[in-house]
Amino acid sequence: MSHTLNQYQQPVGETLTDWQPRQHPQRIELVGEYCRLEPLQAARHAEDLFYAFSQAPDGRDWTYMAYGPFEDQALYFQHVEQASGTTDPLHFAIVDQATNRAVGTIALMRIDKVSGVMEVGHVTFSPLLKQTRIATEAQYLLMCYAFDKLGYRRYEWKCDNLNAPSRAAAQRLGFTFEGIFRQAVVYKQRTRDTAWFSILDSEWPVIKAGMERWLSEANFDSNGKQKLSLKACREL
């Protein structure tokens, strides 16, 4: 981190003369080529989401979440009803543009307007969403909203350190691993060491360009298989 010296010749962080607190993210629709993010609503999304999650053969997708799995639609409806009423976390449904059905959820959370920091969390992808272009585009749309529209300085990803798929997803998307907070959380009657990742506003232009190259139709063959990985697209 760059620094300057104060009047006592002590190193201090770089001065941000023009910095102003940022706006809280709003309940707006974010539209992409393959998906759109809609503010989560039980009446609009719960039935689609329960169906999408029910396509999984077991409950392993909920192991590292603080809630779930849900045994029936009524319980899941209650969960969505509660989640849709909060502003931090601010939950979105991920809607497949081709089918017009919700296939996952994602949220902005731990929103610090004064410092310009927020976290992406509650990332819950159904089997209809995993390993698709929609999964990457949903992340891209939220990052664009955070950095380009709202002007935040730091965008975080945190997960259980034992959650290998989540750690891999963060690194694939361009997040930088920062370390582990030991015994940081208790959930589902067990302890959690939390792995921290982040993207800074100074890093965003390269990450954004890479995501746009990866999402381009030119990056996929006639069978829908990628030609270049997301990491390779960032390095062009």
Side-chain angles (χ1 to χ4, degrees):
M1 182 180 71
S2 61
H3 64 268
T4 59
L5 298 178
N6 67 9
Q7 66 268 38
Y8 309 112
Q9 298 304 295
Q10 296 169 305
V12 295
E14 179 184 0
T15 301
L16 302 178
T17 307
D18 299 324
W19 175 258
Q20 296 292 328
R22 286 340 195 203
Q23 180 185 2
H24 195 284
Q26 303 297 304
R27 295 183 185 279
I28 63 172
E29 186 177 277
L30 304 173
V31 180
E33 183 71 21
Y34 310 109
C35 74
R36 64 183 183 272
L37 305 187
E38 298 178 351
L40 184 64
Q41 298 179 44
R44 165 75 177 93
H45 304 117
E47 184 175 353
D48 284 351
L49 288 168
F50 185 78
Y51 170 79
F53 293 132
S54 71
Q55 303 309 297
D58 54 41
R60 71 184 61 205
D61 290 340
W62 301 95
T63 297
Y64 299 108
M65 304 299 291
Y67 41 79
F70 297 91
E71 296 179 359
D72 59 53
Q73 187 170 334
L75 287 174
Y76 184 70
F77 187 97
Q78 292 174 8
H79 165 71
V80 175
E81 186 75 25
Q82 181 178 16
S84 65
T86 66
T87 58
D88 187 356
L90 181 62
H91 293 269
F92 294 87
I94 303 169
V95 179
D96 185 339
Q97 293 277 53
T99 64
N100 203 37
R101 300 189 69 170
V103 290
T105 64
I106 196 168
L108 295 171
M109 58 186 289
R110 301 186 186 278
I111 300 161
D112 181 352
K113 298 181 294 182
V114 173
S115 297
V117 179
M118 70 170 76
E119 176 184 344
V120 58
H122 296 274
V123 180
T124 316
F125 287 180
S126 76
L128 303 181
L129 175 55
K130 290 181 180 180
Q131 297 182 330
T132 68
R133 277 179 266 187
I134 293 175
T136 298
E137 188 180 56
Q139 299 283 0
Y140 168 78
L141 290 172
L142 268 193
M143 290 181 192
C144 286
Y145 184 46
F147 287 119
D148 298 339
K149 179 67 174 179
L150 298 178
Y152 275 62
R153 304 173 60 236
R154 173 180 168 90
Y155 192 75
E156 298 176 336
W157 178 297
K158 304 186 186 82
C159 64
D160 191 313
N161 188 48
L162 298 175
N163 187 350
S166 184
R167 290 178 58 115
Q171 292 172 317
R172 173 185 175 271
L173 291 168
F175 285 83
T176 296
F177 175 62
E178 295 183 327
I180 299 170
F181 280 33
R182 299 177 301 162
Q183 295 188 183
V185 175
V186 174
Y187 74 124
K188 291 185 174 177
Q189 295 185 304
R190 61 177 187 255
T191 187
R192 182 179 105 167
D193 293 350
T194 298
W196 283 53
F197 301 81
S198 73
I199 295 173
L200 304 183
D201 54 355
S202 59
E203 300 162 342
W204 169 236
V206 170
I207 292 170
K208 179 182 181 181
M211 294 180 102
E212 290 175 348
R213 292 187 194 105
W214 188 87
L215 287 165
S216 169
E217 284 291 341
N219 188 45
F220 294 87
D221 64 20
S222 59
N223 295 317
K225 183 179 179 179
Q226 69 175 15
K227 297 177 182 178
L228 292 175
S229 69
L230 184 52
K231 182 176 184 294
C233 287
R234 280 197 300 275
E235 294 172 348
L236 289 177

